[in-house]
Amino acid sequence: ATRGVFQLTKLKVFYSEVGGSSSGVREFLSSGRIVKWAEQHPHIDIEVKVENGNHPRLEGEYLTGPPKQVTVKNESIRRIYEVMNKLRDSSGRKMKRLNKPVVSQTPSVQGVWTPMLDLSREPFKVQIVKGHQDSA
């Protein structure tokens, strides 16, 4: 979700009525589990399409970005749930690889941490000095 708004607007399920690789998806659909998932996620439109001769896949359409397709060929019901939830939680934007480390023009005011700075086990002695006045 981006700022509390789920980006997935539509989830399409494609499967074959006769293909062996679609057996997990057919079992998922016939058991009514997709209806329960849809009731838990009313903000997502679900569309089921038969495509005989093709491997099963899930396709997510998003508010931002292009649709994402994930094949669920020969997958179990548990894996189909995982893929549906992954598509639900995705933003729709393409993944961007960061090749270079972040470089800042302003160095940290705290400085660089070293193991020598771990003062959590060091005892501190606190003294209150009475009658001490600053010379101004």
Side-chain angles (χ1 to χ4, degrees), residues 4-77:
V5 177
F6 282 103
Q7 298 297 299
L8 181 65
T9 57
K10 184 182 248 184
L11 180 69
K12 294 180 182 178
V13 180
F14 297 93
Y15 75 102
S16 173
E17 292 177 317
V18 292
S21 62
S22 293
S23 62
V25 176
R26 286 195 304 268
E27 184 181 346
F28 182 75
L29 295 173
S30 64
S31 67
R33 290 182 171 110
I34 193 159
V35 175
K36 292 176 187 173
W37 195 89
E39 289 171 349
Q40 294 171 351
H41 306 92
H43 56 281
I44 301 172
D45 295 331
I46 296 180
E47 192 175 305
V48 178
K49 291 186 176 182
V50 176
E51 280 190 354
N52 289 325
N54 292 326
H55 290 299
R57 70 182 188 279
L58 300 177
E59 182 178 311
E61 293 182 6
Y62 297 90
L63 288 173
T64 57
K68 289 184 182 177
Q69 292 185 4
V70 180
T71 183
V72 286
K73 175 175 77 169
N74 298 320
E75 297 289 357
S76 65
I77 290 176

Side-chain angles (χ1 to χ4, degrees), residues 88-109:
R88 177 201 63 201
D89 295 339
S90 296
S91 69
R93 289 183 235 135
K94 287 193 173 190
M95 297 297 288
K96 194 173 190 181
R97 175 171 284 189
L98 300 174
N99 292 334
K100 300 176 185 173
V102 177
V103 178
S104 173
Q105 298 299 323
T106 53
S108 171
V109 295

Side-chain angles (χ1 to χ4, degrees), residues 70-136:
V70 180
T71 183
V72 286
K73 175 175 77 169
N74 298 320
E75 297 289 357
S76 65
I77 290 176
R78 183 176 181 188
R79 176 68 180 142
I80 293 169
Y81 268 124
E82 289 173 4
V83 171
M84 289 173 70
N85 289 330
K86 182 183 123 186
L87 289 172
R88 177 201 63 201
D89 295 339
S90 296
S91 69
R93 289 183 235 135
K94 287 193 173 190
M95 297 297 288
K96 194 173 190 181
R97 175 171 284 189
L98 300 174
N99 292 334
K100 300 176 185 173
V102 177
V103 178
S104 173
Q105 298 299 323
T106 53
S108 171
V109 295
Q110 297 175 345
V112 178
W113 183 87
T114 64
M116 302 292 286
L117 294 175
D118 187 15
L119 302 175
S120 62
R121 294 182 198 95
E122 296 291 324
F124 287 95
K125 185 176 179 183
V126 179
Q127 290 181 327
I128 299 175
V129 180
K130 293 185 179 182
H132 179 73
Q133 294 188 4
D134 293 333
S135 56

